[in-house]
Amino acid sequence: MPSGCFVILLPTDSDYKIMGYYFKEGKIDFEISNDLFLRLNLDHSKNEYNLLKIKDLQIFSYIYKFKGKITRKAYGIIIGLFLNENDKPEKFRSSLKEAAEAFEIPSLHILTKSREEFEIILKDVYLEHLEPLIDILQPEALKDSIINITKFMLSGEKQERKIAQDLVQKIENGEHTKISENYKIAEKAVKALDYEKAAKFYNKAAEIAESLYIMDIATSLKEKGDFSQRIPELSKERERIVQEARNALRNEDFHTAYTSYRKAGDISKKLVQFDKEEEYRLKSKALEDFYNIDQKYRKNK
């Protein structure tokens, strides 16, 4: 389970700014240092998502680049989750992106907030977007979310009141329970590496969520469905490149071997599979060092 999160603002005319932290169990002894920011910023110059391991913590982060007028003042933000060593970062991929996007809503005025004001907002964003999706998709939690929407709509125009009545009827018919049912099927399919089936059921769950007007959940489920569809193609490409690296190694072509392993590591980052990314990055580094030493002594012969 995540233990909290942070947001770093990337201004256009000054150094970074820590907007705030949120910790579920109260303050922990952790600060984003200059060195840590430099590591994050360097990694995010190449990848949207990044994973850093610090002692018993994992920091899973995402860089979000602003659009529109706000870019005159800030490039964007880096939002990070504090995970324990047993958490799987890939489970939080879509929700981390969704949380980042929430900070570009014009009414938020992120640039004008004090640290204290921002951390109140950050807590709300964390609870709404970054809590594990399976918790949010429990039937009772979904029911509560939809009831809150109907309460808002009942105070609106005639058409909105009609939608609210339809939503109440759908809840009574148990329509909301189909979201979590389809989500669970999709998650099982992911574990079985059946990504086509997973995408199908994520999208089914998203369609039902959309029909029940829980749009944030629908967006997150669609994101998971789209990502699942991309996994087979990216995995196949990585497998081809890894085989290319192995063949090069057999032929003592160390340059091709290390560049191919580096490419495989980059694809692994896109797949949010950081164990594989680390494996291929270390292999690439070792082979690059060997290649450079080999070249040096060849020249001296």
Side-chain angles (χ1 to χ4, degrees):
M1 292 280 286
S3 57
C5 61
F6 64 86
V7 171
I8 302 172
L9 183 69
L10 305 172
T12 56
D13 58 356
S14 62
D15 289 337
Y16 71 96
K17 178 183 178 184
I18 306 295
M19 292 301 297
Y21 301 88
Y22 169 66
F23 300 103
K24 285 179 69 174
E25 304 298 329
K27 188 78 172 77
I28 64 172
D29 185 21
F30 184 88
E31 291 285 340
I32 303 291
S33 65
N34 287 337
D35 287 345
L36 181 53
F37 168 72
L38 289 173
R39 287 179 66 188
L40 285 169
N41 201 35
L42 179 61
D43 287 339
H44 281 301
S45 67
K46 303 171 187 174
N47 298 284
E48 287 185 321
Y49 293 92
N50 189 59
L51 184 72
L52 286 179
K53 296 181 181 180
I54 302 173
K55 296 181 181 178
D56 56 348
L57 263 185
Q58 296 189 96
I59 298 176
F60 182 43
S61 57
Y62 172 74
I63 188 168
Y64 180 71
K65 296 177 181 177
F66 291 146
K67 308 173 192 72
K69 292 181 180 179
I70 195 173
T71 55
R72 298 172 188 170
K73 300 288 181 109
Y75 297 113
I77 58 172
I78 295 173
I79 182 169
L81 263 180
F82 297 114
L83 305 176
N84 68 46
E85 55 189 349
N86 298 317
D87 286 325
K88 301 293 184 185
E90 58 269 23
K91 290 186 176 181
F92 302 95
R93 181 183 180 278
S94 57
S95 53
L96 196 61
K97 180 181 179 182
E98 187 180 308
E101 290 171 346
F103 288 108
E104 200 179 16
I105 297 170
S107 60
L108 182 60
H109 298 303
I110 184 174
L111 300 175
T112 65
K113 298 297 179 186
S114 68
R115 176 101 167 229
E116 292 74 19
E117 290 173 319
F118 183 82
E119 287 185 341
I120 292 170
I121 297 167
L122 183 56
K123 177 182 177 181
D124 291 340
V125 169
Y126 178 90
L127 294 175
E128 182 176 353
H129 298 288
L130 294 173
E131 281 285 80
L133 193 56
I134 189 62
D135 295 341
I136 301 168
L137 295 183
Q138 292 298 329
E140 283 305 308
L142 289 168
K143 185 177 179 181
D144 289 343
S145 295
I146 299 164
I147 287 172
N148 287 333
I149 293 168
T150 62
K151 287 177 181 176
F152 176 77
M153 286 184 165
L154 285 170
S155 63
E157 300 294 329
K158 183 178 178 181
Q159 186 176 357
E160 288 181 323
R161 294 199 299 272
K162 176 66 169 62
I163 292 171
Q165 290 167 358
D166 290 343
L167 287 175
V168 170
Q169 186 60 54
K170 286 179 178 179
I171 292 172
E172 289 176 359
N173 293 339
E175 192 73 10
H176 60 291
T177 64
K178 296 177 183 177
I179 298 173
S180 48
E181 288 169 4
N182 282 294
Y183 176 77
K184 287 175 182 176
I185 293 171
E187 289 286 283
K188 285 182 181 177
V190 168
K191 289 179 181 176
L193 306 182
D194 189 346
Y195 297 110
E196 187 176 339
K197 182 178 179 180
K200 177 183 175 182
F201 282 93
Y202 281 135
N203 288 326
K204 271 190 177 183
E207 287 170 11
I208 298 167
E210 204 166 52
S211 72
L212 294 171
Y213 285 80
I214 36 181
M215 299 305 185
D216 54 339
I217 289 174
T219 299
S220 185
L221 289 165
K222 279 182 182 176
E223 169 77 14
K224 290 180 81 67
D226 292 343
F227 184 60
S228 294
Q229 286 179 318
R230 291 177 58 214
I231 288 174
E233 184 180 340
L234 286 171
S235 297
K236 188 175 180 180
E237 176 66 6
R238 182 179 63 186
E239 187 179 331
R240 183 189 68 76
I241 291 171
V242 168
Q243 190 57 53
E244 182 181 272
R246 289 170 180 161
N247 291 339
L249 195 54
R250 289 191 195 99
N251 295 324
E252 297 187 4
D253 181 354
F254 301 113
H255 183 271
T256 299
Y258 86 72
T259 55
S260 295
Y261 274 127
R262 182 183 293 165
K263 289 176 186 175
D266 291 341
I267 292 174
S268 298
K269 269 204 169 185
K270 289 180 182 178
L271 288 167
V272 200
Q273 295 176 356
F274 291 102
D275 53 342
K276 286 291 185 183
E277 184 274 333
E278 183 179 29
E279 176 190 342
Y280 297 135
R281 176 171 50 79
L282 291 174
K283 285 180 177 178
S284 175
K285 183 66 172 66
L287 287 167
E288 183 179 12
D289 290 345
F290 184 87
Y291 171 78
N292 289 334
I293 292 168
D294 184 59
Q295 289 295 104
K296 178 182 176 180
Y297 284 98
R298 281 178 186 270
K299 289 177 183 177
N300 290 337
K301 283 184 179 181

